[in-house]
Amino acid sequence: MDQDLSKELRRALGEQEFGIKSYTIQETPYECGVVELLEGRTIQVRVSERGWEVVEDRPTAIPLGLPRPPKCHETLDNLLRSHSPMYAEKEAERLREKLNTLLERE
């Protein structure tokens, strides 16, 4: 993996700790992040020149009626939002807290 992409993988995953259970970096057979979502599922993500993608999703079954998320995402945030409703909730809560802090300063 390109050095810049490797740094981006680590930086972006570190910034998402508020909305995931944990993550580790796996270096073989290719460098990726192994992310445990708040729902308890584990996904493997990697970044390339095309964007962010899930390379493995356990369990892989998607409940009937739910659309499959797109394969590539512009940002890690977008990828996590599409795979984890609990991440999306935590992210919204975090934004509300930041806005409230700004409003309190005024």
Side-chain angles (χ1 to χ4, degrees):
M1 177 182 273
D2 177 283
Q3 284 279 359
D4 291 335
L5 292 175
S6 180
K7 287 178 186 175
E8 174 65 9
L9 175 71
R10 287 167 167 71
R11 183 198 61 75
L13 285 168
E15 290 177 355
Q16 306 310 316
E17 289 182 306
F18 69 90
I20 60 176
K21 280 189 181 177
S22 65
Y23 76 91
T24 57
I25 303 296
Q26 173 181 301
E27 296 188 2
T28 55
Y30 48 81
E31 191 170 36
C32 68
V34 180
V35 179
E36 184 179 1
L37 303 174
L38 294 174
E39 292 85 356
R41 282 188 15 251
T42 300
I43 60 174
Q44 289 182 8
V45 299
R46 71 175 168 188
V47 62
S48 69
E49 292 81 13
R50 291 181 7 188
W52 289 87
E53 62 185 330
V54 172
V55 291
E56 186 175 327
D57 185 348
R58 292 174 284 204
T60 56
I62 294 180
L64 295 176
L66 292 179
R68 286 193 176 275
K71 294 197 186 269
C72 261
H73 299 267
E74 206 170 295
T75 65
L76 179 57
D77 308 57
N78 288 343
L79 182 149
L80 291 172
R81 256 185 249 111
S82 72
H83 286 271
S84 173
M86 291 177 77
Y87 172 87
E89 288 175 23
K90 286 281 188 183
E91 184 182 42
E93 178 183 310
R94 187 174 184 220
L95 288 172
R96 277 191 300 276
E97 288 172 1
K98 285 182 179 182
L99 285 172
N100 285 337
T101 300
L102 288 173
L103 291 172
E104 289 171 2
R105 289 183 185 169
E106 292 181 1

